[in-house]
Amino acid sequence: MTKRLLLALAILPALHAPAQTPRKRVLAWADTITGYQHDSVSHAVAVLERLGRESGAFDTYIRTDSQAITKQPIPEPAKNTRNLTYFDAIFYIGTGDNLNAEQKRDLLSFIHDDGKGFVGAHTGDDAFFDWPEFADMIGGWFDNHPWGQFDAPVIVEDPAFPAMKAFPLKFTIHDEIYEHKNFSRDQVHVLASLDSSKLDYTKPGINRKDHDFPVAWAKMYGKGRVFYSTFGHAQETWDNPMVQKMYLEAVKWSLRQVGEDVHL
């Protein structure tokens, strides 16, 4: 058999191999410059990057500023910077309000009009308190954490949702749990919540008279998928395999790799 024939036979399988689909791209937006800086943020985005890489589901691009939150070209002197048009979803664990009006329009359009994903972790709704459209997009705002870090009793309300499959129907997790304002079950699909029958109501700062304390929800915002969970205050929370699985599947859901749209 000639060398030319051997070479042709070696190339033939590659010519007929199906083209690989490019991996999805997730912007891990960890801008805490204008708000309270949680020590867990660095570990959170590092865990997310590892989960995306090891699962093969997506590539993670970590930013600790808000420069990429725009659809406009990044101006000089910045080099090799990406804007929102490059990404398929945002993983947000930040605080504060440092976007200009154009950036705010572009962020909402990225989700609502382009059908991209948004996953908020812990401080993901502890931001933009002067921007009602942000609360409408994510599903509510941080109000308080009256129990601090405690052994939180949790009930899973939708065990079939991809991000909830890692949890038992009832479990306890040691973390800081938020209560939320501008939140209504009419506007989001609650996935898990605190067991209200097991909470200490003598704590100051409990503002929800309906005793409704969700810990994870999903919703549609226009064409886009939005997920939020309060889990993630402590660094140790990000080492919990169930929490890791939750956020991995939440990002995949936001990317439309798993699950269906949620309907109220």
Side-chain angles (χ1 to χ4, degrees):
M1 189 175 293
T2 66
K3 290 184 178 180
R4 183 175 296 179
L5 181 56
L6 287 172
L7 180 60
L9 290 174
I11 294 174
L12 190 60
L15 293 176
H16 292 279
Q20 288 189 344
T21 303
R23 287 209 287 194
K24 297 291 187 177
R25 297 183 286 254
V26 175
L27 173 63
W29 179 24
D31 189 347
T32 60
I33 192 170
T34 58
Y36 181 79
Q37 298 188 32
H38 281 66
D39 291 337
S40 63
V41 169
S42 296
H43 191 40
V45 293
V47 166
L48 184 77
E49 191 280 334
R50 177 180 60 79
L51 293 173
R53 174 169 38 83
E54 291 181 350
S55 68
F58 54 87
D59 291 324
T60 306
Y61 296 75
I62 298 172
R63 291 301 299 261
T64 57
D65 60 76
S66 297
Q67 186 181 57
I69 308 300
T70 179
K71 291 184 178 180
Q72 312 310 312
I74 305 296
E76 297 288 347
K79 302 292 184 182
N80 300 319
T81 20
R82 311 292 189 181
N83 64 13
L84 286 176
T85 62
Y86 185 74
F87 298 104
D88 301 294
I90 292 172
F91 173 86
Y92 180 57
I93 182 167
T95 57
D97 183 353
N98 62 339
L99 299 182
N100 61 38
E102 185 176 64
Q103 287 179 299
K104 289 179 177 180
R105 287 194 298 270
D106 286 351
L107 174 60
L108 295 184
S109 174
F110 172 81
I111 307 160
H112 188 279
D113 302 327
D114 301 341
K116 303 297 183 68
F118 189 94
V119 173
H122 194 54
T123 55
D125 73 343
D126 186 9
F128 302 108
F129 290 104
D130 294 324
W131 185 20
E133 292 83 1
F134 178 82
D136 179 52
M137 180 275 291
I138 198 170
W141 271 318
F142 161 84
D143 189 25
N144 202 358
H145 40 68
W147 299 280
Q149 293 187 71
F150 76 120
D151 291 330
V154 176
I155 297 174
V156 173
E157 299 190 27
D158 185 358
F161 188 83
M164 294 293 104
K165 291 182 179 180
F167 298 113
L169 292 179
K170 294 184 178 182
F171 64 96
T172 299
I173 184 170
H174 189 79
D175 203 0
E176 180 185 79
I177 307 298
Y178 288 176
E179 66 171 337
H180 306 278
K181 60 185 178 181
N182 291 70
F183 155 81
S184 170
R185 283 179 178 257
D186 294 336
Q187 303 299 319
V188 306
H189 177 63
V190 175
L191 304 172
S193 59
L194 292 181
D195 184 344
S196 60
S197 69
K198 297 181 178 179
L199 298 177
D200 179 2
Y201 293 102
T202 66
K203 298 288 185 181
I206 300 176
N207 298 320
R208 291 203 67 97
K209 304 306 179 185
D210 59 4
H211 295 173
D212 192 4
F213 305 102
V215 299
W217 66 67
K219 67 187 296 289
M220 305 303 298
Y221 182 69
K223 298 178 182 177
R225 293 179 172 186
V226 177
F227 175 93
Y228 171 80
S229 176
T230 187
F231 297 153
H233 172 83
Q235 294 191 53
E236 294 77 14
T237 304
W238 292 95
D239 293 324
N240 184 321
M242 294 189 298
V243 173
Q244 291 183 0
K245 183 68 172 177
M246 180 193 74
Y247 278 118
L248 172 62
E249 294 300 317
V251 172
K252 290 168 61 179
W253 176 78
S254 79
L255 293 167
R256 299 182 180 275
Q257 293 175 327
V258 297
E260 305 295 331
D261 291 352
V262 293
H263 302 284
L264 304 179

